[in-house]
Amino acid sequence: MGMDVRSQSCDYLRDGNVVVCTAGPGNFEPPEYVRARVTGRSATYLVRFNGGCWSCTCKDVDCPHVAAVQMVTGHPSLARKAATR
Ligand SMILES: [Zn+2]
């Protein structure tokens, strides 16, 4: 297949398969902790951000689930389009 992380992440986002369950604290941006659910074709993945570290239940190095959640929570992300300004 050879889809890159950004393409896969954007597919998840476009298809509405990324749900942020918890993000906080309060008005902090980007949030210091995040829990989110990403629904894939064959499984559902749980993405967490805590203590400055991202993790995903898929345990892939180039994880498109983490990248998708990073994008919607304002964190630096491989899913974000490279800046052209
Ligand atoms: Zn993952």
Side-chain angles (χ1 to χ4, degrees):
M1 285 266 288
M3 278 179 72
D4 61 24
V5 172
R6 175 167 140 74
S7 301
Q8 292 180 64
S9 304
C10 290
D11 279 353
Y12 284 123
L13 292 163
R14 187 191 58 218
D15 295 346
N17 289 331
V18 179
V19 175
V20 176
C21 308
T22 312
N27 297 321
F28 230 68
E29 187 194 330
E32 290 178 329
Y33 61 83
V34 176
R35 284 166 51 92
R37 179 164 40 83
V38 179
T39 309
R41 282 190 201 87
S42 54
T44 297
Y45 305 96
L46 184 62
V47 174
R48 295 167 192 268
F49 180 64
N50 201 358
C53 293
W54 288 93
S55 66
C56 176
T57 48
C58 81
K59 297 189 170 62
D60 280 355
V61 177
D62 288 324
C63 165
H65 318 112
V66 165
V69 175
Q70 286 170 332
M71 185 150 84
V72 293
T73 53
H75 282 274
S77 174
L78 287 173
R80 187 164 288 115
K81 191 175 182 182
T84 50
R85 28 195 152 134

